[in-house]
Structures are given as C-alpha cells and as structure tokens.
Amino acid sequence: SQKIEQNSEALNIQEGKTATLTCNYTNYSPAYLQWYRQDPGRGPVFLLLIRENEKEKRKERLKVTFDTTLKQSLFHITASQPADSATYLCASRGSYIPTFGRGTSLIVHP
Amino acid sequence: KAGVTQTPRYLIKTRGQQVTLSCSPISGHRSVSWYQQTPGQGLQFLFEYFSETQRNKGNFPGRFSGRQFSNSRSEMNVSTLELGDSALYLCASSLESSGRSRSSTDTQYFGPGTRLTVL
C-alpha cells in the first residue's frame, strides 16, 4: 500500500526566510499530491494540488514541486511569517484510498 | 457558504459504550469522507459515502460504521469503544466522489472535528 513520509521533526525558521518541507512517497506514483495546512484543534485546510505530469505549481507565496524520479514533493513557503506556523500535511490520492503523511510542524520565529 | 459542521465537538465515553458522530457537508456537496487522527498514526481514512452509498473503506474493524442520508448529511458510529479509539474524528466533504477516478481532483473541505476521549 502507498505510504507518505514527512519529516516528523519540527522545522524552525526565521521570519522572512523560505521554508521547505519534504514529502516522500513509496510504491506507485500517485496521480497527484495535495498539501494541507492544519492548525491545532482544527481540520486540515487544502492549499495546493500538483499532478504527476506537473513539475511545479505556485500560489502566492507557496510553491510545490513533484519529482517522480525521486518520488518526492517539496513544499516551499517564501517570505515566511509567524502566521505560517502550523502543521503541513501531504496527501496522495492516486488510489481509491487517500493516504496522508503525519505532517511536519513549521514554526516561524519573529 | 457555510463550511462543514460536525457535532458534537467534544465527547467523553467509557470503554464498551457506543458513539454516534454527525457531519453536515457544505451545501451541494454529495461526498462525505471520515478520518481518524491520532498523534501516533496521523490522519487515517475510515470511509467515504457518496449519494448514500459507501464508495470506499479504509482498514478499520467492523466496529466503525457509517451512513449517509438523502440530504448528504452523514453519521459515523463506533460500537464497543476501546481506549485506542480516542482520537480526533474528522469529516470532509467534496462535490463529487474522487474514489473511482485516478484523475479526479475534487478538493476536500474538512470540518473542525469531534474530539472523542474514551476512558
């Protein structure tokens, strides 16, 4: 079955820097990967989707890449702000069962 | 549009009891999926309902069940509660079911969740 792996260690960065989060998948290449943001006590909020035939996707300060050779997606937040502090989840939906990573906590220090 | 709502928000039960959680999707959304989130396992898919039919099911025991009504509202039930069932239960709605098409990219909108504690 598909597994989604994200760095379990929190990522601490200074305000204004670029945060880069990693998502690795095992087995087959999913049709697409999704990135969500989750704040404590709340449900995940959809941010971006990237298909397997797309190299890169952008939305405002967010950028996602998809490398099928490395079986990896990178999620970037440029000019990070303390308000970006949250847990970011990667999910695949290439099969009938959606699979989520455990998420990486991002902490942006002022 | 109002978002996905879930009731109750918090629930405390004891082992052996059963519980029913409710989810109201965004108006017009016909697909409702349920997830269990725990610190150890992360977010895990329970099942998806579309037009009152279960479309997909995750790897959970039969104690976990659900249903969907004609107005797309959904309930999930957990019988014979165990300590390990303590978790945040999330419901997500989308316009269409993406469980049958590899290319379908319908966005899921999550509710705030129900925090279930089993004592």
Side-chain angles (χ1 to χ4, degrees), chain B residues 16-30:
Chain B
Q17 287 187 309
Q18 75 160 15
V19 67
T20 299
L21 311 181
S22 181
C23 171
S24 291
I26 292 172
S27 177
H29 285 194
R30 296 192 293 167

Side-chain angles (χ1 to χ4, degrees), chain A:
Chain A
S1 61
Q2 184 72 288
K3 285 189 180 179
I4 300 291
E5 297 169 346
Q6 296 183 256
N7 195 339
S8 58
E9 286 186 22
L11 178 62
N12 287 270
I13 64 168
Q14 285 298 127
E15 182 176 7
K17 299 293 186 182
T18 296
T20 299
L21 307 176
T22 304
C23 170
N24 294 294
Y25 60 90
T26 61
N27 301 331
Y28 58 85
S29 178
Y32 57 86
L33 289 167
Q34 297 176 315
W35 283 88
Y36 290 81
R37 169 185 172 140
Q38 186 173 25
D39 292 284
R42 294 177 175 249
V45 175
F46 171 76
L47 295 174
L48 275 173
L49 176 151
I50 185 165
R51 300 174 194 275
E52 61 180 334
N53 61 352
E54 295 175 320
K55 295 286 187 188
E56 181 180 297
K57 203 80 165 286
R58 291 175 183 263
K59 179 184 176 183
E60 299 172 353
R61 295 185 296 112
L62 309 179
K63 185 179 86 171
V64 176
T65 62
F66 196 162
D67 189 326
T68 55
T69 303
L70 294 178
K71 293 191 174 182
Q72 182 179 84
S73 174
L74 297 179
F75 178 79
H76 307 271
I77 304 176
T78 58
S80 59
Q81 305 163 1
D84 295 326
S85 298
T87 295
Y88 291 85
L89 304 170
C90 174
S92 78
R93 192 75 193 228
S95 67
Y96 301 142
I97 305 298
T99 305
F100 281 77
R102 295 187 187 182
T104 298
S105 175
L106 172 65
I107 302 168
V108 182
H109 300 275

